[in-house]
Amino acid sequence: MAASFRPDIEGMRALAVAGVVAYHFGLTALPGGFAGVDIFFVISGYLITRHLLQEIGESGRLNLWRFYARRARRLLPASLFVILATLLAGAFILSPEEQALYSKGAMFASAYMINLWLIRWSFDYFASDAANNPFIHFWSLSVEEQFYLAWPALLVLAAWLRPGRRAAIVVIGVTGLVSFVACAWLTSVSPPWAFYFSPLRAWEFAAGGLATMVPASFLRCHPRLRAAQGWLGLALIVPAYLLLDEALPFPGLLALLPVIGTVLLLVSGAGERQADGKLAGGPAALLSLPPMQWIGKLSYSLYLWHWPVIVYAGMVTAELSGLDRFACLALTLMLSIFTYHVIENPVRRNGWLMASAARALVPAALLTGAGVVAAYANAKFAVHELDPEQRVIAQSAARPSTARARGGCVLDYETITPKPCVFGAKNVKGTIALFGDSHADHWSTPLIQAAEKRDYRVVTWLKSSCRASRLSTWSSKLKRDYAECDQWREQSIKEILALRPALVVISEIALTSSRKMAAGKDEPDSQDAEWKAGLRSTLETFSKAGLKVAFIRDVPFNDEQVDTCVARALWRGDTPSLCDQTRAYAANDAMAAVERDVVRSIPNARYVDMTDQFCNQTTCHVFIGGKIAFRDRHHLATAFAETLEKPLEKALF
């Protein structure tokens, strides 16, 4: 073992991976376990900066080829093995379209660029559920690899400007400060960029780099201070694990908790070691215990394996019990032990590969290329000669509504100014206004068809996740209050009143459905009253202006992505009825009754209920008349929406 080896850092790796695994395996007691990734970032910044500055200080130069060769031996073989194994398992579990989609993720993961792909994915309102992506956890490895490309050049620049510790502190500090300010700002403005974009995570690596600058002589002379720093570091990490959750704006300012805590732990363990190799005093002794060392050694393999294991298990078994999750943990451990002892460590320590940088980098480039090619080939092969039923499902799920197909008619989250879109001829006998969120948009196809038959035109006011009801909401996408929705809504109401249409058609996601989407997170009971007041306020505004209003009840809510569930069922030879939901769960009948009473109490307003097109007394179906009814969990598939033109026409006219 190298003389520079620090058992406390190995224990910190164990602490980091334990948090991530616990979070992903559904341990609700640690809702902030995802902050373990931030601990990894700080540790990487510390170790890489210490190593590179030591080499620059000793030789006056930096052998980048040797540096990258070490990184390749350390990271590439195990990650490629997990990627290929995950692709192979997916052939038996995933539908063909899913295999094609997630193979693209594998391709970007192989090239360490999946974080950039996920940024684009995050801005797609109808993107497939990220929780089903078995490669999404590679985003952090991509960020690290991109850090490894840029950081050595930054340290060489610091040495070129002025050799010594001071220049390095200034360069690292300025880089970290700029990165942190940008990250904190974008966390509230554009969360996907703040979370996934490597330059905006550079401040966490920089924090680890600055930790290397604390003089070791000072630390050796103050053992009590070291111990106090260590305990304070743990005191910051533990609350991060216990109090943070995915609903809070992260990384931003909240990421300071695990980052500062990790820096304090690293600094506290940088003092003199005892003769037995263990760090003296403080939490370093706790981190150096054998179980922590064992988990720390396996941490990379554990991180690679835990996510595809739990994702595939959730696909095979609808509801994972505690015993199921324990079995997944055992499987993760077995796979990790195998990968560490058979692939990760032997390649890392291979004498022939260590002899020269070229011997490691050439195979690394070939392996990277092989991973990209294999993933690309799998994406093409999965949908080659696709079964007609699978093709119809894929096409139905991908086809946009009439309003969305025009482009720009359904506004994004940030846009405030309304953009009404006109459908139908100008010389008609009247106008219908369609107003609301994406749940109003998915009615645009049958509504426009019905209106044209009756010589009406349709003008749409639509915005993603923005109800027509005057209810201020918190946006899970923006990680903040959705103020843009409130501003857009009021401007849209003014424009509709000025237009004076013959009929205003409103639809929006049911409050109970949005709560189900929030994965069980509690909302204040007062919101029920606020929602009823907001719905009444919007309807009364139109009613008092003498406008007629038709409020369309929301569609049933499904527990799974319908297109995915049906495609998997058919792929495995099962019936699509496996994806049906009980009416008690899907139809939101109790909330609809309250909604109906509010609407019917307003003059000129009527309640349009199309639920019988989906549900009988006990069951809500997802595959109706040979068509999938939904494109995801709660949006109508356009092909099925077309079949609702006649009943909608009858209800409205």
Side-chain angles (χ1 to χ4, degrees):
M1 187 174 292
S4 60
F5 174 77
R6 282 180 48 181
D8 64 315
I9 292 181
E10 198 81 310
M12 290 168 67
R13 288 194 179 106
L15 184 65
V17 78
V20 174
V21 173
Y23 169 71
H24 285 151
F25 274 51
L27 184 60
T28 55
L30 294 177
F34 56 83
V37 170
D38 302 85
I39 297 175
F40 276 126
F41 286 165
V42 178
I43 293 173
S44 293
Y46 180 87
L47 294 175
I48 296 302
T49 303
R50 185 179 68 173
H51 172 79
L52 294 176
L53 289 180
Q54 182 179 353
E55 183 175 342
I56 293 172
E58 291 174 352
S59 63
R61 57 188 296 273
L62 193 60
N63 189 329
L64 288 176
W65 297 117
R66 187 171 61 189
F67 168 75
Y68 291 129
R70 282 196 298 267
R71 294 295 89 204
R73 294 198 313 270
R74 171 76 174 87
L75 301 175
L76 184 59
S79 67
L80 183 61
F81 175 68
V82 173
I83 287 171
L84 295 178
T86 304
L87 284 174
L88 180 62
F92 300 95
I93 298 173
L94 303 172
S95 70
E97 283 292 329
E98 285 181 293
Q99 293 177 48
L101 173 63
Y102 297 138
S103 291
K104 294 178 184 177
M107 184 172 65
F108 283 99
S110 299
Y112 291 101
M113 293 191 298
I114 194 172
N115 60 320
L116 304 179
W117 185 59
L118 290 171
I119 290 173
R120 181 175 178 272
W121 193 353
S122 298
F123 284 106
D124 183 355
Y125 185 80
F126 285 110
S128 298
D129 193 353
N132 287 328
N133 184 346
F135 301 100
I136 195 172
H137 64 312
F138 276 87
W139 76 267
S140 63
L141 302 179
S142 297
V143 168
E144 285 212 28
E145 285 299 312
Q146 291 158 23
F147 161 74
Y148 295 147
L149 288 175
W151 203 247
L154 196 69
L155 297 182
V156 169
L157 173 64
W160 177 77
L161 290 173
R162 183 174 182 179
R165 185 186 302 267
R166 186 173 300 175
I169 292 175
V170 171
V171 170
I172 295 174
V174 170
T175 301
L177 180 61
V178 171
S179 172
F180 173 72
V181 171
C183 180
W185 174 63
L186 280 170
T187 295
S188 60
V189 174
S190 184
W193 281 99
F195 195 88
Y196 290 122
F197 194 43
S198 52
L200 301 180
R201 289 298 192 117
W203 68 274
E204 299 182 74
F205 297 94
L210 289 175
T212 67
M213 305 299 173
V214 180
S217 57
F218 174 81
L219 295 171
R220 282 194 292 267
C221 295
H222 298 83
R224 291 184 179 178
L225 176 61
R226 288 206 319 270
Q229 284 178 326
W231 290 119
L232 178 58
L234 274 182
L236 291 175
I237 291 174
V238 171
Y241 278 10
L242 294 175
L243 301 178
L244 295 179
D245 64 55
E246 60 186 16
L248 295 173
F250 195 87
L253 295 173
L254 293 176
L256 287 171
L257 275 175
V259 168
I260 294 175
T262 306
V263 167
L264 291 173
L265 274 176
L266 288 167
V267 171
S268 75
E272 186 177 5
R273 290 192 296 272
Q274 294 177 344
D276 61 1
K278 292 185 178 180
L279 293 168
L286 179 66
L287 294 171
S288 300
L289 292 174
M292 299 295 285
Q293 297 299 291
W294 184 69
I295 296 173
K297 286 182 175 65
L298 293 175
S299 60
Y300 180 52
S301 292
L302 282 169
Y303 184 82
L304 290 174
W305 277 116
H306 83 282
W307 182 244
V309 167
I310 196 65
V311 165
Y312 282 162
M315 292 177 180
V316 174
T317 304
E319 291 292 335
L320 292 174
S321 65
L323 185 60
D324 293 331
R325 295 177 189 275
F326 181 80
C328 289
L329 180 60
L331 177 59
T332 300
L333 278 172
M334 289 189 291
L335 291 170
S336 301
I337 292 170
F338 172 84
T339 304
Y340 177 78
H341 288 289
V342 177
I343 297 172
E344 181 186 342
N345 213 37
V347 174
R348 182 184 178 190
R349 305 294 185 188
N350 184 275
W352 187 84
L353 293 174
M354 294 172 66
S356 71
R359 290 187 180 182
L361 289 176
V362 171
L366 293 174
L367 286 175
T368 299
V372 172
V373 170
Y376 180 81
N378 193 67
K380 294 297 182 182
F381 179 77
V383 292
H384 179 65
E385 296 182 354
L386 192 62
D387 181 271
E389 284 185 317
Q390 295 287 342
R391 192 177 302 280
V392 168
I393 292 169
Q395 291 172 347
S396 297
R399 183 181 166 190
S401 68
T402 302
R404 191 174 292 273
R406 179 173 290 188
C409 293
V410 183
L411 301 186
D412 58 24
Y413 286 80
E414 289 82 8
T415 303
I416 296 173
T417 304
K419 182 185 175 182
C421 290
V422 181
F423 298 87
K426 292 183 178 179
N427 297 321
V428 291
K429 64 182 182 183
T431 298
I432 296 174
L434 177 62
F435 177 39
D437 55 17
S438 60
H439 284 231
D441 163 57
H442 65 202
W443 289 108
S444 66
T445 299
L447 176 62
I448 291 169
Q449 291 174 335
E452 288 177 345
K453 286 174 61 177
R454 297 277 181 156
D455 294 326
Y456 282 84
R457 68 173 179 168
V458 175
V459 184
T460 63
W461 281 265
L462 303 167
K463 182 175 173 64
S464 295
S465 297
C466 186
R467 289 182 175 89
S469 300
R470 284 175 165 137
L471 175 67
S472 297
T473 57
W474 185 90
S475 170
S476 59
K477 282 274 188 180
L478 300 175
K479 305 289 186 183
R480 58 176 171 81
D481 290 337
Y482 197 4
E484 293 89 342
C485 174
D486 296 334
Q487 297 175 58
W488 170 85
R489 183 192 300 116
E490 294 308 312
Q491 292 184 49
S492 297
I493 289 174
K494 289 180 181 178
E495 292 185 7
I496 295 171
L497 292 174
L499 180 66
R500 299 203 61 80
L503 178 66
V504 181
V505 177
I506 294 175
S507 192
E508 61 188 24
I509 187 170
L511 193 62
T512 45
S513 294
S514 62
R515 286 174 175 165
K516 290 169 185 173
M517 288 171 59
K521 291 182 176 59
D522 293 332
E523 294 185 17
D525 293 337
S526 62
Q527 195 172 53
D528 284 354
E530 292 171 0
W531 162 71
K532 285 190 288 185
L535 174 59
R536 181 179 296 278
S537 175
T538 297
L539 296 176
E540 285 181 340
T541 299
F542 293 126
S543 177
K544 289 177 180 178
L547 299 181
K548 294 181 179 180
V549 182
F551 189 98
I552 304 177
R553 176 180 174 177
D554 192 21
V555 298
F557 183 87
N558 300 280
D559 210 23
E560 294 186 71
Q561 297 282 114
V562 170
D563 58 321
T564 299
C565 182
V566 172
R568 281 187 203 153
L570 294 174
W571 178 248
R572 299 170 188 170
D574 293 323
T575 172
S577 62
L578 290 174
C579 306
D580 291 345
Q581 301 286 327
T582 63
R583 178 164 183 146
Y585 174 82
N588 303 314
D589 283 327
M591 179 67 74
V594 175
E595 187 176 66
R596 182 175 56 250
D597 291 343
V598 171
V599 174
R600 289 179 175 176
S601 69
I602 308 296
N604 296 325
R606 54 196 161 116
Y607 194 70
V608 177
D609 191 342
M610 306 286 286
T611 307
D612 288 346
Q613 300 295 323
F614 308 89
C615 311
N616 57 31
Q617 293 299 314
T618 58
T619 305
C620 291
H621 304 287
V622 298
F623 200 69
I624 305 169
K627 299 178 183 294
I628 57 168
F630 304 89
R631 62 174 300 159
D632 50 26
R633 298 170 72 185
H634 51 89
H635 291 99
L636 287 177
T638 300
F640 179 75
E642 287 178 331
T643 68
L644 301 178
E645 181 263 322
K646 287 185 177 180
L648 184 63
E649 179 188 4
K650 182 178 179 181
L652 293 179
F653 295 99

